[in-house]
Amino acid sequence: MFNIADLQKEIIRLKKEKDICILAHAYQPHNILEIADFTGDSFGLSVEASKAPQKTILMCGVRFMAQSVKILCPDKKVILSHPQAGCPMAEQMTVEQVREMRRLHPNAAVVAYINTTAELKNECDVCVTSASALKIVKNMAEKEIIFIPDCNLGSWIQNQVPDKKFYFYSGGCPVHMSIRKKDVDEARILYPGAKLLVHPECLKEITEQADYVGSTTGIMKYVENSEHNEFIIGTDNSIAQHLQYAYPEKRFYTLSKYCVCHDMRLTTLVDVYNCLKGLSGEEITLDENVRQGAKSCIDKMIAYGG
Ligand code: SF4
């Protein structure tokens, strides 16, 4: 039987022996981040995968993230760490619903959050990340925007781009949407000196009270550059834990104990080990037409400076 340290050593040995690059999204448990070659947000990880010399990529995260790697790296073997790890938001809209929105608003550009399936990206004009969405929407020539699937991120952008007309699908991340105003009220009383940092997938009643609204990477950078010592973190609770490891002298509080993505928690360190042994995980395959359509959506995001 392995303990965690032994298992991590064996994983590091195996990934070198089998020449496999391990990517871990920032919401993964700390013991998985420690054995990864790259950690970060979903798009950043896809870019790292495309530059990595290894021909096999193991994505510790959820399905749309492994699909994003496959979109950018069609010649690599891409393995999702847990076959059941999906993203409720990425999968909540259908291709037919996107087509119907286009039919209703023929002059609008369709902007897809990166948290969408490859099939949905294939239907859209441009992709955005939470970090790049504002800049890209501002840079687009179109005056009408269909923003899918997250209406919370979409309306946060809409507030900052008042000259454009937005159409939303009523989708969103159930994890971030579980945070309520009473959580903010309670946290402000408990930690009066702390800065409140939240993700734009949160409801408007949360983002409008925050000291900073930004992507996971943005939240981490904010902490890195801040002289403050206390922070309330309004995104998946793993981020507060990772920050506490990185800055043990500072204090990090979770905004809500329910802000936990269960899909992100499906992968365990033993799953990573079993994936490297070829005993677990799922190889991602995509229809080539879908992949190319999704890729052009990502290419446009890069062209817009995302
Ligand atoms: S936190 Fe929300 S958007 Fe992110 S993977 Fe989980 S369900 Fe999807």
Side-chain angles (χ1 to χ4, degrees):
M1 192 169 74
F2 286 126
N3 62 33
I4 287 176
D6 288 344
L7 193 52
Q8 287 180 314
K9 270 190 211 149
E10 185 58 9
I11 287 170
I12 290 166
R13 189 192 69 74
L14 269 174
K15 74 173 179 175
K16 282 188 190 138
E17 179 188 297
K18 302 208 167 191
D19 200 28
I20 296 174
C21 173
I22 301 180
L23 308 178
H25 186 268
Y27 292 170
Q28 290 288 291
H30 205 78
N31 59 23
I32 293 181
L33 296 193
E34 285 178 338
I35 51 80
D37 295 285
F38 299 103
T39 64
D41 59 31
S42 59
F43 182 65
L45 290 175
S46 306
V47 173
E48 294 295 353
S50 66
K51 293 191 279 192
Q54 293 94 335
K55 292 275 180 270
T56 303
I57 307 289
L58 172 58
M59 165 57 87
C60 302
V62 297
R63 182 169 297 273
F64 83 83
M65 297 174 181
Q67 286 187 337
S68 296
V69 174
K70 190 67 183 173
I71 290 166
L72 291 192
C73 315
D75 298 330
K76 298 197 184 207
K77 179 175 179 179
V78 179
I79 300 164
L80 172 62
S81 53
H82 195 296
Q84 287 179 292
C87 165
M89 174 160 70
E91 295 159 15
Q92 68 196 173
M93 199 175 179
T94 65
V95 164
E96 288 69 33
Q97 286 172 314
V98 181
R99 290 178 185 164
E100 178 62 7
M101 287 187 84
R102 244 195 219 285
R103 196 185 63 74
L104 290 172
H105 310 292
N107 297 323
V110 184
V111 176
Y113 190 18
I114 193 96
N115 297 28
T116 42
T117 62
E119 289 75 16
L120 287 180
K121 287 185 180 78
N122 181 39
E123 295 290 323
C124 298
D125 296 311
V126 61
C127 253
V128 294
T129 62
S130 53
S132 66
L134 180 60
K135 180 179 175 186
I136 290 175
V137 170
K138 274 185 177 169
N139 284 349
M140 292 173 74
E142 288 87 348
K143 291 287 175 207
E144 292 179 55
I145 305 288
I146 296 169
F147 192 96
I148 65 150
D150 185 356
C151 64
N152 299 300
L153 173 62
S155 50
W156 180 68
I157 294 160
Q158 180 184 32
N159 286 342
Q160 299 168 80
V161 191
D163 59 318
K164 299 205 180 192
K165 189 167 174 55
F166 285 73
Y167 308 101
F168 298 119
Y169 173 74
S170 61
C173 166
V175 178
H176 287 88
M177 286 166 70
S178 71
I179 303 174
R180 294 301 154 116
K181 183 175 174 298
K182 74 170 179 45
D183 297 315
V184 177
D185 296 342
E186 286 169 12
R188 289 288 198 199
I189 291 168
L190 283 171
Y191 318 115
K195 290 283 180 192
L196 175 62
L197 319 180
V198 311
H199 197 281
E201 288 172 21
C202 292
L203 296 169
K204 188 177 176 212
E205 67 192 42
I206 309 302
T207 53
E208 66 190 8
Q209 296 191 70
D211 297 300
Y212 172 77
V213 181
S215 65
T216 309
T217 308
I219 288 174
M220 292 173 118
K221 281 202 179 126
Y222 183 99
V223 171
E224 187 185 333
N225 297 325
S226 173
E227 289 178 356
H228 274 79
N229 289 317
E230 289 185 282
F231 304 89
I232 305 161
I233 305 298
T235 187
D236 183 89
N237 287 349
S238 59
I239 298 302
Q241 294 166 1
H242 301 328
L243 285 166
Q244 195 64 76
Y245 276 103
Y247 305 98
E249 73 289 357
K250 302 198 176 200
R251 297 297 295 134
F252 299 91
Y253 312 109
T254 55
L255 180 51
S256 160
K257 66 179 178 181
Y258 299 110
C259 192
V260 175
C261 179
H262 294 290
D263 284 85
M264 281 288 185
R265 297 300 181 286
L266 283 174
T267 301
T268 65
L269 197 61
V270 177
D271 289 325
V272 178
Y273 172 76
N274 283 333
C275 286
L276 295 179
K277 299 276 279 182
L279 301 172
S280 188
E282 178 187 323
E283 183 176 352
I284 298 294
T285 55
L286 292 174
D287 174 273
E288 182 55 14
N289 287 332
V290 168
R291 189 196 72 77
Q292 285 185 14
K295 169 117 184 347
S296 84
C297 199
I298 292 176
D299 288 344
K300 278 190 212 147
M301 170 174 86
I302 295 166
Y304 276 116

